Amino acid sequence: GENVEQHPSTLSVQEGDSAVIKCTYSDSASNYFPWYKQELGKRPQLIIDIRSNVGEKKDQRIAVTLNKTAKHFSLHITETQPEDSAVYFCAASIGQAGTALIFGKGTTLSVSS
Amino acid sequence: GAGVSQSPSNKVTEKGKDVELRCDPISGHTALYWYRQSLGQGLEFLIYFQGNSAPDKSGLPSDRFSAERTGGSVSTLTIQRTQQEDSAVYLCASSLVQRTVGTEAFFGQGTRLTVV
């Protein structure tokens, strides 16, 4: 079936460094790519998303890039802070309905001060 | 309601019993998803509803799992003859689908199921 691969599974950075998380997807019909952040004991929440007609999107310290040809997209966090520590999930919309969201397995980001 | 609501928030059940988990999506959201998250693991896709129909049931782990949605609103996930490996947090999410374009999914707080 359709799937989303996410790397790395864990990422440790120093405060102020950049962090990059990469995902690939298999369904060429995917048109929506959200990123979710899940803090310990909490529900996943959307932090940024991108649609298939856009190559890049930025929101303050967070940016997402999409390469439709290669079927991969990435999350970039600049000037990381300890409060960025969490599990990050990428997702892609799949299926004939084009809207079912399949998630990657997550990246545990640890930012040390 | 203001957000996606799931009940119960915690459920402890004996192995072999059936359980029902409930999800109340955001009013007006036509798409509803169920995911399973085991301790420290990712979001395992179970099933997706568009209105009352489920175009994608590919993630249901076995025939002990079933889900339904009535009136385009509330959904229940039923696990029959529970096993210890069913222990996990079951997350429900809903989204306002516009034709075939994906949109943000909002998650409930989850139901933590423990099978003893």
Side-chain angles (χ1 to χ4, degrees):
Chain A
E2 305 298 347
N3 70 320
V4 176
E5 299 284 340
Q6 182 172 348
H7 299 280
S9 56
T10 60
L11 181 58
S12 295
V13 300
Q14 291 286 320
E15 182 177 2
D17 287 350
S18 294
V20 180
I21 302 170
K22 298 182 179 182
C23 290
T24 59
Y25 60 98
S26 56
D27 186 355
S28 57
S30 294
N31 57 39
Y32 177 63
F33 308 90
W35 286 88
Y36 283 78
K37 176 183 180 182
Q38 186 178 31
E39 296 176 343
L40 194 61
K42 297 188 176 180
R43 71 191 77 183
Q45 293 198 306
L46 181 78
I47 54 170
I48 194 168
D49 56 15
I50 192 168
R51 300 195 179 279
S52 56
N53 58 347
V54 175
E56 184 175 359
K57 184 176 179 181
K58 279 187 86 170
D59 182 5
Q60 300 183 336
R61 296 186 297 109
I62 295 173
V64 58
T65 58
L66 171 66
N67 183 327
K68 282 191 64 180
T69 303
K71 289 192 280 189
H72 65 69
F73 56 114
S74 302
L75 177 72
H76 304 253
I77 306 175
T78 58
E79 300 170 28
T80 53
Q81 300 167 4
E83 53 264 38
D84 294 330
S85 297
V87 180
Y88 291 81
F89 294 98
C90 63
S93 62
I94 65 135
Q96 289 185 350
T99 54
L101 287 178
I102 299 298
F103 285 82
K105 292 195 180 300
T107 296
T108 300
L109 174 64
S110 300
V111 181
S112 52
S113 54
Chain B
V4 179
S5 177
Q6 291 186 245
S7 61
S9 53
N10 279 286
K11 176 72 177 179
V12 180
T13 190
E14 291 182 354
K15 178 181 172 182
K17 301 270 187 179
D18 297 352
V19 294
E20 264 192 12
L21 312 180
R22 176 187 168 107
C23 174
D24 246 301
I26 292 173
S27 178
H29 279 194
T30 53
L32 186 147
Y33 314 81
W34 283 99
Y35 297 93
R36 179 168 70 175
Q37 188 171 35
S38 302
L39 188 63
Q41 299 298 309
L43 296 165
E44 179 188 1
F45 172 80
L46 298 179
I47 190 169
Y48 156 68
F49 287 93
Q50 175 64 287
N52 290 335
S53 64
D56 194 336
K57 302 179 184 179
S58 62
L60 293 176
S62 74
D63 58 9
R64 297 187 295 105
F65 288 72
S66 63
E68 65 175 18
R69 188 181 187 195
T70 54
S73 182
V74 172
S75 175
T76 54
L77 177 69
T78 302
I79 309 173
Q80 295 178 310
R81 306 181 302 281
T82 51
Q83 304 294 313
Q84 287 185 330
E85 60 262 28
D86 299 334
S87 297
V89 175
Y90 289 81
L91 287 162
C92 174
S94 72
S95 69
L96 181 62
V97 172
Q98 298 172 345
R99 296 194 178 180
T100 59
V101 178
T103 58
E104 177 183 0
F106 294 84
F107 282 85
Q109 82 282 10
T111 293
R112 182 177 298 278
L113 175 66
T114 304
V115 182
V116 299

